[in-house]
Amino acid sequence: MRDKFMTLTEEMTFRDWSMLCVLVTTVIIMWWRVGSNIRDVIYIRRFRAQRGRQYVSGAWGARQNSLITLLVAETLVAVAISILIALMLVGVTL
């Protein structure tokens, strides 16, 4: 395993390393965003109805159900993109 990794690292150019770093950073940022969205949905749902509506309209300028739908959709898109990037990093072809 170590020999395979050393061979792989010797064959990689600076451009390959930089692209790898960009892709890994993108996946990390996507998962950070997924966690943030889930935290916001839980925070909104934990409030009672009146306080939740006040928070959503004041902080986000939207309705509560619309915002939750938007956050869930963004979470699904971020998960899908990060899975595709991870598959690309592993080398799987679809």
Side-chain angles (χ1 to χ4, degrees), residues 36-48 51-52 55-56 59-60 64 68:
S36 173
N37 286 348
I38 291 171
R39 179 183 49 96
D40 283 340
V41 168
I42 291 171
Y43 188 71
I44 291 168
R45 298 294 290 171
R46 194 173 289 173
F47 276 146
R48 302 233 186 251
R51 287 182 55 204
Y55 168 73
V56 169
W60 295 84
Q64 187 173 1
I68 290 174

Side-chain angles (χ1 to χ4, degrees), residues 74-85:
E74 183 184 358
T75 300
L76 293 175
V77 169
V79 167
I81 291 172
S82 63
I83 287 173
L84 289 174
I85 291 173

